[in-house]
Amino acid sequence: MRISVIGCGYLGAVHAASMAKLGHDVVAVDVDPVKIERLAAGEAPFFEPGLPEILTEAIASGRIRFTTDMAEVAGAQVHFLAVGTPQGPTGAADLTYVDAAVAALTPHLGAGEFVVGKSTVPVGTAARLAAEVEAAVPGASLVWNPEFLREGFAVQDTISPDRLVYGVPAGETGERAVALLDEVYATTLAEGTPRLVVDLPTAELVKVSANAFLATKISFINAMAEIAEVVGADVTALADAIGHDARIGRKFLNAGLGFGGGCLPKDIRAFQARANELGVPDSLAFLADVDAINLRRRDHVVELAQEILGGAVTGKRIAVLGLAFKPNSDDVRDSPALDIAARLLGHGATVAAYDPEAVVTARRLHPELEYVESATDALRDADLVLVLTEWNEFRELDPAAAASLVSNPVVIDGRNCLDRDAWTAAGFTYRGMGR
């Protein structure tokens, strides 16, 4: 099929390359000429495992091209809308880019074509945009197909997702949309991927509801970590025990610094804002506590560092291992790790920061930090070691070698990812989260 993808950020670039991988002819559009130039050259503008390979393959096959000219989408049967919805000043989602993309797209739409929203938007947005599309181009329609990408696994989650959700109107238009999307995802469906056909509001709610649940689960175990530290319990053992309950499950029960990135924090705030607009603020009032618990974890690490170093970090050299909000990503949007590094610097510490992939993106936000080229460089002469992103490189560090580099063998394991016994045996004072 001939497909267009509007927006070549994290979601759009991955989706466009993955659609080409599935055999479709794809034209991908973005207003940023630098981004388009990099993508056209086969260079991913961000770190995502697997993306460079499928991008190179797609370009070599001739099944994908990148452009800043919206007119080139003309004739595509399906137009995926994959632009960002950042958090606005009130906490609500900023739909500027979504509205601008639809306005730019409609002059090039044809009757019988479908605009397929993938962006995470407040419930009610799809109905409004569908009316605008149908008014501008009689015979064209808009439906919603939310994304469920995990950074670090985005290619896998696009090509082999755990489910596909189609939000379509009732009647003949909905039936045509389902048939068309089934053709888009024919390979994926043939592998047995579940497909759910729902109405537009339900499709919009799926992604934000999932993110709200996951954020709640993470904040729950971090609240338990706060209790565990007071009573002397081990939150990792607690998580293992309650995780055996099939109703609860072990995933997302890892205490630590909390969540960050470009989705969970903004989505739970935007969800609350939308509930307020709909006149049901109490229904999502609990998410304010979820957010507060999450942000408290960053305060806790800074306070713990001050406590360990005698009440203040001023003049101390601190090794910060990890800057991305999660491993296998260079994304530092709302990253707890980067936030903590910057706070420690603000308290007078010398911060030697290292991340396998996120130094470049971190430097853009916080150029004042000292960035080093390896974990070894960060550890050298450190008064305190902080492991803030659970990269395998940090999990696999030799604690004895680390002890020979630091000036003071103390480590705060912000992700509970180190072998506590091994680090203690090497002479380190070990402090974990809720342990």
Side-chain angles (χ1 to χ4, degrees):
M1 294 178 65
R2 178 171 162 77
I3 288 173
S4 80
V5 177
I6 315 303
C8 292
Y10 183 84
L11 167 60
V14 172
H15 193 71
S18 297
M19 291 299 99
K21 172 72 174 177
L22 292 177
H24 301 296
D25 292 321
V26 181
V27 56
V29 185
D30 197 279
V31 296
D32 184 346
V34 175
K35 187 186 297 179
I36 288 298
E37 184 177 346
R38 291 180 66 182
L39 286 165
E43 180 185 349
F46 48 84
F47 177 75
E48 177 61 36
L51 179 58
E53 291 80 4
I54 66 167
L55 184 59
T56 300
E57 177 187 331
I59 291 170
S61 71
R63 289 197 298 269
I64 195 168
R65 71 180 189 277
F66 297 93
T67 180
T68 58
D69 185 1
M70 187 68 81
E72 293 198 33
V73 308
Q77 297 162 273
V78 176
H79 306 270
F80 283 105
L81 191 62
V83 297
T85 53
Q87 181 179 319
T90 65
D94 182 353
L95 298 178
T96 301
Y97 303 113
V98 172
D99 290 336
V102 171
L105 173 61
T106 49
H108 309 288
L109 276 178
E113 297 174 3
F114 280 90
V115 179
V116 181
K118 293 204 70 70
S119 305
T120 303
V121 296
V123 61
T125 304
R128 174 176 65 82
L129 294 176
E132 292 176 10
V133 166
E134 291 162 11
V137 186
S141 305
L142 179 139
V143 298
W144 220 259
N145 171 220
E147 56 88 8
F148 306 106
L149 304 189
R150 299 167 297 163
E151 293 195 34
F153 302 91
V155 173
Q156 171 189 326
D157 288 346
T158 304
I159 294 174
S160 299
D162 52 16
R163 79 283 206 193
L164 289 166
V165 176
Y166 304 166
V168 303
E172 188 268 339
T173 298
E175 293 172 1
R176 286 194 297 112
V178 170
L180 201 61
L181 288 171
D182 279 353
E183 190 174 347
V184 171
Y185 295 115
T187 301
T188 303
L189 291 168
E191 294 173 352
T193 299
R195 184 214 344 117
L196 294 87
V197 178
V198 299
D199 53 65
L200 288 175
T202 301
E204 291 170 299
L205 283 171
V206 172
K207 177 63 183 295
V208 290
S209 299
N211 280 354
F213 183 85
L214 295 176
T216 301
K217 196 171 182 181
I218 295 167
S219 283
F220 168 82
I221 200 63
N222 278 323
M224 295 305 100
E226 293 176 344
I227 300 295
E229 289 186 0
V230 172
V231 302
D234 186 335
V235 76
T236 58
L238 174 66
D240 289 341
I242 65 175
H244 278 290
D245 188 325
R247 297 168 301 174
I248 297 172
R250 184 61 177 81
K251 290 183 178 180
F252 281 78
L253 280 182
N254 295 314
L257 308 184
F259 53 81
C263 290
L264 261 62
K266 79 168 180 71
D267 285 355
I268 65 169
R269 293 164 193 160
F271 205 8
Q272 290 177 80
R274 186 58 177 147
N276 290 340
E277 293 169 354
L278 294 170
V280 286
D282 291 347
S283 62
L284 296 181
F286 73 95
L287 288 180
D289 290 327
V290 169
D291 201 8
I293 292 168
N294 189 57
L295 294 175
R296 228 169 32 231
R297 302 309 291 163
R298 307 178 190 191
D299 298 335
H300 177 62
V301 173
V302 173
E303 291 163 1
L304 189 56
Q306 292 170 323
E307 174 197 318
I308 287 171
L309 293 175
V313 298
T314 306
K316 302 295 186 179
R317 183 173 178 83
I318 299 178
V320 168
L321 302 182
L323 297 166
F325 88 96
K326 65 177 290 186
N328 298 317
S329 173
D330 64 353
D331 194 346
V332 295
R333 290 175 294 175
D334 207 357
S335 168
L338 183 57
D339 184 27
I340 289 168
R343 290 197 203 186
L344 291 170
L345 181 68
H347 283 292
T350 297
V351 177
Y354 169 69
D355 188 285
E357 294 293 340
V359 166
V360 172
T361 49
R363 185 180 277 120
R364 292 177 193 147
L365 287 181
H366 288 284
E368 71 278 8
L369 291 171
E370 176 190 344
Y371 298 96
V372 296
E373 296 184 357
S374 68
T376 297
D377 291 341
L379 291 168
R380 191 171 287 114
D381 300 324
D383 296 300
L384 173 64
V385 178
L386 270 64
V387 178
L388 302 182
T389 311
E390 62 272 38
W391 287 93
N392 284 336
E393 178 179 340
F394 304 148
R395 293 177 184 270
E396 296 166 2
L397 282 172
D398 180 350
S404 71
L405 292 169
V406 301
S407 64
N408 183 33
V410 183
V411 61
I412 296 177
D413 182 2
R415 295 296 183 180
N416 290 341
C417 63
L418 303 179
D419 183 332
R420 176 173 56 181
D421 293 340
W423 282 76
T424 301
F428 273 87
T429 297
Y430 173 96
R431 295 293 293 270
M433 300 291 99
R435 306 184 76 187

